[in-house]
Amino acid sequence: MDLHMEQSWSGSAAPAEDLSVTQRVLAELRTEIVTARLAPGSVIREADIAARFRVSKTPVREALQRLLAEDFVMVFPRRGYMVRQVGISDIKNIMALRMYIEPPLSAVAATRRTPKLLDRLGALLDLQRDESLDHASRLAVAPEFHGLIADVSRNDRVNRLLRTYFDETTRMHYLFPEATAHVTSEEELTAHQEILDAIAAQDPDRASAAMAHHLAESNEALLRSFY
C-alpha cells in the first residue's frame, strides 16, 4: 500500500515521515494479529508497543485507531486495547459479505482479463500447490489470488473492504487448524483452478458461479472448525 493512498484514506495531516512510521507499526501489528501471534484477548498497550518499535506513542496510537476501525481490536479506557475475539457470527458475517462482493467482481475480471492477469493468477495457483513451500507461505497465496481478481474492478473502496475481510479470514485459518488444512486441500485448489479457467474463457457467468461455489465451500470449512 503506497504512502499517498494511505494518507488519503486516513485523512491525516501528519507529515509523510510520521505517516511512514504509522504505516510500519500498523503493518506489523496487523500481521501479528492476523497470524495469531497476538492471540484473541491479548492486551496491547501504547507504551509497550512504542518501546518495542522505538517510536513515539503518536504513530502507535494512530495505528491502533486504524485497527479499531477495522474491528481487529477493542479499546478499554485506561487499560489499552484488546485483540478482539473471533466467533461463529464473525465467520457467517464475513463470508456473507464476501459472497455479495466477490462473485460479481469475478465476472468483471472475466470481461477484462489480460494475458498478464492470467499469468499472475496461474503463478499464484502454482505456489498454492507447491508442497515444497511451508504452510504459511501457501496460506498467504489464497488471499493474494482473490485480491488480484478484485483489483481488476479498479474500485478502491471495494478493495479496502475486501482486504480487511481477507485478513479476517486468514486469521481464522491460523486460529482453527481444521480450517487451515482446507487452504491446501484438493477442493480449494480445484476451485481456484475453475475460477481461473472461467476468467481465461472470458465467461462472466461461469466465473461468478465458480467464485460463489468456492466461497460457500470455504464457509462450510470454516464453520466445521467450530464443531
Side-chain angles (χ1 to χ4, degrees), residues 45-140:
R45 295 183 175 84
E46 289 180 9
D48 295 341
I49 300 300
R52 177 152 71 93
F53 287 100
R54 298 181 181 180
V55 298
S56 69
K57 289 185 180 180
T58 299
V60 174
R61 186 175 303 116
E62 291 174 353
L64 288 169
Q65 286 298 310
R66 279 291 304 277
L67 292 171
L68 180 65
E70 294 172 1
D71 216 20
F72 282 112
V73 300
M74 301 178 295
V75 64
F76 291 92
R78 296 181 297 279
R79 288 184 57 195
Y81 296 78
M82 180 180 290
V83 178
R84 192 174 59 80
Q85 301 283 347
V86 175
I88 195 166
S89 62
D90 295 297
I91 292 177
K92 291 179 177 179
N93 291 339
I94 289 166
M95 296 308 289
L97 289 166
R98 290 184 62 180
M99 185 68 82
Y100 289 134
I101 297 171
E102 290 190 71
L105 292 184
S106 300
V108 171
T111 64
R112 295 180 180 176
R113 73 108 164 100
T114 63
K116 181 178 180 181
L117 173 65
L118 299 179
D119 286 346
R120 292 175 67 191
L121 288 173
L124 288 173
L125 187 50
D126 286 342
L127 289 173
Q128 196 173 1
R129 286 193 175 109
D130 190 347
E131 295 182 1
S132 70
L133 297 176
D134 61 76
H135 193 75
S137 298
R138 297 174 74 189
L139 180 59

Side-chain angles (χ1 to χ4, degrees), residues 70-214:
E70 294 172 1
D71 216 20
F72 282 112
V73 300
M74 301 178 295
V75 64
F76 291 92
R78 296 181 297 279
R79 288 184 57 195
Y81 296 78
M82 180 180 290
V83 178
R84 192 174 59 80
Q85 301 283 347
V86 175
I88 195 166
S89 62
D90 295 297
I91 292 177
K92 291 179 177 179
N93 291 339
I94 289 166
M95 296 308 289
L97 289 166
R98 290 184 62 180
M99 185 68 82
Y100 289 134
I101 297 171
E102 290 190 71
L105 292 184
S106 300
V108 171
T111 64
R112 295 180 180 176
R113 73 108 164 100
T114 63
K116 181 178 180 181
L117 173 65
L118 299 179
D119 286 346
R120 292 175 67 191
L121 288 173
L124 288 173
L125 187 50
D126 286 342
L127 289 173
Q128 196 173 1
R129 286 193 175 109
D130 190 347
E131 295 182 1
S132 70
L133 297 176
D134 61 76
H135 193 75
S137 298
R138 297 174 74 189
L139 180 59
V141 171
E144 287 188 49
F145 184 92
H146 285 257
L148 190 56
I149 292 170
D151 286 343
V152 178
S153 71
R154 298 190 286 273
N155 187 321
D156 288 343
R157 288 181 181 272
V158 167
N159 285 343
R160 290 201 297 275
L161 281 173
L162 281 177
R163 296 296 176 179
T164 299
Y165 299 154
F166 295 159
D167 281 347
E168 286 276 25
T169 305
T170 299
R171 183 159 80 116
M172 293 171 195
H173 284 125
Y174 272 96
L175 290 171
F176 306 111
E178 288 185 24
T180 301
H182 183 74
V183 176
T184 55
S185 68
E186 192 59 36
E187 291 84 359
E188 170 91 1
L189 298 174
T190 299
H192 277 193
Q193 184 66 62
E194 170 59 16
I195 293 165
L196 173 54
D197 290 345
I199 292 172
Q202 296 182 286
D203 188 334
D205 291 338
R206 179 183 168 193
S208 177
M211 181 61 79
H213 176 77
H214 171 45

